[in-house]
Amino acid sequence: MKTYYRLLFVLALSVVFAQCKKETVTTERIDSQNTIRHAKGFSIRNYEGYTVVTVRNPWPKATKTYTYILKEKNGIVPDSLSQNPIIAIPIKSIVVTSTTHVPSLEMLKKENTLIGFPNLDYISSEKVRARIEAGKVKELGMNQNLNTEVLLNLQPDVIIGYGIDNNNPTLDNLQKSGLKVMLNGDWNEETPLGKAEWIKFFGALYGQQKKAEEIFSKIEKEYLKTIKIAQSAGETPTILAGDMFEDRWYLPKGNSWGSLLLKEAKGHYLWSETTGTGSLSLSLETVLEKAKNADIWITSGQFASLKEMTAANPHYRQFKAFQNKNVYSFSARKGKTGGTLYYELAPNRPDIILKDIVKILHPELLPSYQPFFFEKLQ
């Protein structure tokens, strides 16, 4: 009889363990759909009580994937994901390290959660500058050498970092100190809409994915609408980009987002056939040979007038676009401390940039539109 009861006990335990095992497998099943459409560097997958954000390409040729768990109140994170950084959402305070992160906070109306930034003078946003002047955003030094002491005192809910390679010991030390760090790779996206879609990265942190989707969808709609308008242009002007820095001419490679914008505005960028997403470094002679008769010249933004250009290099006069005063710059709009708004806002608003370029190349297609970033140099 004892043997019989012992057998029943063992069978009962087996059933319990089998049920527990089955429940664990069901709970940890990962099959949610990625909500990102254009960006290649990250994905967002939503589950009951938590969200999984995966960053795949925070810098060129990155080989490691970074996974972050955004946990809602009372959410339960499966054991299979618990080894990843877990961040409680919605966050209440944030530190970002690139000016390209600032517009996402502002568009989500969360600029008041920003409490620290490296080199505050770079920020152009009027709303954030007001917070800086009120002492509500702390100076953190330089991106590759953040002030650890200040950050430990601030104790932000999350620090949004970026890197140009796999070497940022400051961020590593901050994580070892218990602070939450997430990498953002918006700058490494190859398409204009891919860059802009990173607003959803921030939307997830604030529990505002729906709002981020609405904002991005409007940008996407305007961008695609402007492409259609540009396609109706009868001509395709030739375009020269960049200018000299020291003794080299820097201009975008053919696969860069800047090159793609020129193409989608129905312009013929003279170096569109080159490969890569960075910058070309060429001699003046090489550029002059190929682009002497280009119709339009879009500069790097380092000059405010044609006079400044020739003062820096009198050879600029040899270009047809300069002679015809068809030279454009995006340097006009600056913040109070000299930061160029284009560098801060442009990656988030490709719809505005595209309209600006279409207006430059095909003014008859947008007769009442006034460019926001670009102006013709006088």
Side-chain angles (χ1 to χ4, degrees):
M1 183 64 70
K2 289 182 178 179
T3 302
Y4 172 75
Y5 283 117
R6 186 180 296 112
L7 179 60
L8 285 179
F9 180 70
V10 171
L11 287 172
L13 284 178
S14 298
V15 171
V16 171
F17 287 141
Q19 288 177 336
C20 290
K21 185 175 181 181
K22 182 178 180 181
E23 289 174 0
T24 301
V25 171
T26 302
T27 302
E28 296 188 359
R29 186 179 176 191
I30 304 291
D31 59 3
S32 177
Q33 293 294 312
N34 177 25
T35 63
I36 304 304
R37 301 193 297 276
H38 296 276
K40 302 300 182 184
F42 80 116
S43 64
I44 295 177
R45 298 179 186 274
N46 296 304
Y47 305 91
E48 186 175 351
Y50 67 96
T51 296
V52 178
V53 177
T54 303
V55 177
R56 290 183 294 274
N57 201 29
W59 53 78
K61 299 180 180 179
T63 57
K64 183 179 177 182
T65 296
Y66 296 83
T67 300
Y68 307 98
I69 312 302
L70 310 184
K71 179 181 173 295
E72 299 169 21
K73 186 178 181 181
N74 300 323
I76 298 174
V77 177
D79 291 342
S80 62
L81 297 174
S82 60
Q83 77 279 9
N84 299 298
I86 298 175
I87 298 160
I89 61 167
I91 61 168
K92 299 293 192 298
S93 61
I94 192 170
V95 163
V96 301
T97 54
S98 169
T99 55
T100 61
H101 304 159
V102 173
S104 290
L105 304 186
E106 193 168 333
M107 286 189 283
L108 291 166
K109 300 189 185 303
K110 293 295 181 180
E111 69 275 358
N112 62 325
T113 65
L114 180 64
I115 59 175
F117 186 86
N119 205 327
L120 294 174
D121 285 349
Y122 287 157
I123 295 179
S124 299
S125 162
E126 291 183 5
K127 290 182 179 179
V128 177
R129 289 237 59 89
R131 286 181 52 78
I132 292 170
E133 291 168 7
K136 296 178 180 179
V137 184
K138 300 299 181 183
E139 174 62 65
L140 299 178
M142 301 300 293
N143 181 54
Q144 296 297 317
N145 189 26
L146 297 173
N147 191 317
T148 303
E149 183 178 351
V150 174
L151 279 166
L152 289 173
N153 287 332
L154 287 174
Q155 288 292 306
D157 290 339
V158 65
I159 300 167
I160 308 300
Y162 75 93
I164 56 175
D165 53 33
N166 191 24
N167 182 29
N168 196 325
T170 302
L171 293 180
D172 295 338
N173 291 333
L174 290 170
Q175 290 184 89
K176 291 175 182 177
S177 300
L179 295 179
K180 304 292 185 180
V181 177
M182 294 180 72
L183 291 175
N184 179 297
D186 59 359
W187 69 278
N188 203 31
E189 292 288 340
E190 296 182 7
T191 66
L193 289 177
K195 286 180 181 289
E197 197 167 18
W198 279 81
I199 189 174
K200 297 179 182 179
F201 175 94
F202 292 96
L205 288 170
Y206 292 102
Q208 292 194 343
Q209 291 192 54
K210 183 178 179 181
K211 184 173 183 179
E213 172 62 40
E214 290 173 354
I215 293 169
F216 175 72
S217 292
K218 289 180 181 178
I219 293 171
E220 179 187 42
K221 181 180 179 181
E222 284 300 309
Y223 186 87
L224 297 176
K225 177 183 175 182
T226 306
I227 289 177
K228 288 185 178 180
I229 292 172
Q231 288 173 346
S232 66
E235 297 182 352
T236 305
T238 52
I239 303 169
L240 164 65
D243 39 49
M244 298 289 290
F245 181 74
E246 295 181 346
D247 62 344
R248 304 296 291 175
W249 193 300
Y250 294 94
L251 63 168
K253 289 184 178 179
N255 298 125
S256 66
W257 74 295
S259 177
L260 182 58
L261 279 161
L262 297 176
K263 178 181 178 181
E264 294 187 327
K266 202 174 181 182
H268 174 45
Y269 174 48
L270 292 172
W271 279 267
S272 62
E273 301 304 317
T274 59
T275 59
T277 58
S279 297
L280 293 167
S281 174
L282 305 175
S283 67
L284 171 65
E285 292 75 18
T286 300
V287 175
L288 186 60
E289 181 180 0
K290 189 167 187 173
K292 182 177 182 178
N293 293 314
D295 298 311
I296 303 290
W297 183 355
I298 297 178
T299 70
S300 68
Q302 64 173 315
F303 302 113
S305 68
L306 298 177
K307 185 177 181 180
E308 280 188 18
M309 292 182 69
T310 53
N313 193 321
H315 293 293
Y316 289 148
R317 290 195 182 94
Q318 298 181 56
F319 291 89
K320 171 187 167 184
F322 185 95
Q323 295 164 7
N324 293 338
K325 297 184 178 180
N326 282 327
V327 184
Y328 294 82
S329 172
F330 51 75
S331 63
R333 291 182 181 267
K334 295 183 182 295
K336 287 184 179 180
T337 51
T340 301
L341 183 61
Y342 181 88
Y343 295 128
E344 181 171 309
L345 182 59
N348 298 70
R349 297 302 306 270
D351 55 325
I352 297 177
I353 306 174
L354 187 59
K355 284 183 180 178
D356 281 10
I357 297 174
V358 171
K359 180 67 175 182
I360 291 170
L361 303 184
H362 314 288
E364 72 283 358
L365 298 182
L366 296 173
S368 60
Y369 179 76
Q370 294 297 319
F372 180 81
F373 290 114
F374 289 87
E375 67 172 4
K376 179 182 282 192
L377 294 186
Q378 302 298 323

